[in-house]
Amino acid sequence: MFTGIVESLGKVESLQNVGGDIRLRIQTDLDMSDVQLGDSIATNGICLTVIAWGNQWYEADVSLESIHRTTLSSWKVGQTVNVEKAMLPTTRFGGHIVSGHVDVVGEITVQRQDARSLYFEVTAPPEIAKYLAEKGSITVDGISLTINHLRGNVLSLNLIPHTAERTNISTWKVGTRVNLEVDVLARYIERLLLGDKAAEHKPESKLSMEFLAQNGFLR
């Protein structure tokens, strides 16, 4: 679990196709002294499992499901990403409960200065609108943020100068695609409301041969 309070910035050092999925290497000044094999590090909001690491880098394998659900399929070498190690029981809980399991990809549709803060509007896929609430929490590229206003599936955010300095939002612009994770409690409440029908609910996978071909996994 994570808090959505970004600890450091990283850069994509390499993206290697391994057996059809991706092995990712991130360069970062994150303190890696207490990292062990199998630890989780949120990378732009994606929970990744560490398979190798050094003083200023770590590697992780990324499954097709994660590639499909997130912006990772469009990442480039040199891209800046937000990183956060998994929280400890003694960690000050400054954000909200973040699992690192990205729900959908949204798009920045408005960006402007708002006094000293930066104002953004993010258009989310309509299917997650039911999980969003004004003054509720959402994770955007691994950053725990408060939804200021909500208009259907369009949410507005204000980011203070401190957040701008500590994260990669300087790279955001109109058209930027971002990873979105809704509040974990909303997902469980929906599932509970299905009651006994939950066992009958079998959504189809959105993975397709077309998607795999478009992202270089088929030749």
Side-chain angles (χ1 to χ4, degrees):
M1 303 300 291
F2 307 92
T3 66
I5 304 301
V6 174
E7 293 183 86
S8 184
L9 291 173
K11 281 194 176 181
V12 177
E13 186 173 319
S14 65
L15 293 155
Q16 183 183 4
N17 189 317
V18 180
D21 53 28
I22 289 177
R23 179 160 296 170
L24 178 70
R25 185 178 176 118
I26 301 293
Q27 187 180 51
T28 180
D29 60 3
L30 192 69
D31 179 12
M32 302 294 289
S33 62
D34 60 346
V35 172
Q36 299 181 21
L37 183 67
D39 280 359
S40 297
I41 298 180
T43 309
N44 258 19
I46 309 168
C47 178
L48 297 178
T49 300
V50 175
I51 60 168
W53 72 100
N55 289 334
Q56 294 187 308
W57 61 273
Y58 62 91
E59 290 186 352
D61 285 329
V62 187
S63 70
L64 289 178
E65 171 67 11
S66 295
I67 294 166
H68 172 67
R69 285 271 189 170
T70 71
T71 60
L72 202 145
S73 63
S74 63
W75 288 10
K76 307 294 183 186
V77 171
Q79 178 170 333
T80 302
V81 291
N82 300 315
V83 293
E84 178 193 355
K85 290 187 291 188
M87 64 185 295
L88 299 170
T90 54
T91 301
R92 181 173 287 130
F93 202 175
H96 72 281
I97 297 173
V98 176
S99 67
H101 302 156
V102 174
D103 290 291
V104 292
V105 172
E107 183 177 335
I108 305 291
T109 47
V110 174
Q111 176 193 26
R112 66 170 182 263
Q113 198 73 34
D114 188 16
R116 293 178 59 243
S117 67
L118 289 171
Y119 173 89
F120 292 94
E121 287 185 6
V122 180
T123 298
E127 62 264 28
I128 72 159
K130 59 186 174 181
Y131 302 120
L132 308 177
E134 286 197 8
K135 304 308 176 185
S137 296
I138 190 165
T139 309
V140 184
D141 270 359
I143 310 168
S144 173
L145 296 172
T146 299
I147 299 172
N148 285 338
H149 299 287
L150 192 58
R151 188 175 71 256
N153 60 317
V154 179
L155 52 109
S156 67
L157 310 164
N158 276 80
L159 283 78
I160 62 173
H162 174 77
T163 304
E165 292 168 4
R166 297 280 296 179
T167 67
N168 70 348
I169 68 167
S170 63
T171 66
W172 292 2
K173 57 186 178 182
V174 172
T176 296
R177 297 167 71 245
V178 290
N179 295 318
L180 301 178
E181 180 187 335
V182 301
D183 192 304
V184 64
L185 296 179
R187 287 191 300 221
Y188 282 113
I189 289 171
E190 179 190 39
R191 194 70 178 166
L192 285 168
L193 289 174
L194 286 173
D196 292 339
K197 293 183 178 180
E200 303 169 12
H201 189 63
K202 298 178 181 179
E204 294 182 4
S205 172
K206 294 181 180 179
L207 286 174
S208 67
M209 298 301 286
E210 181 183 2
F211 173 83
L212 296 177
Q214 288 175 348
N215 288 277
F217 297 103
L218 294 177
R219 300 193 180 205

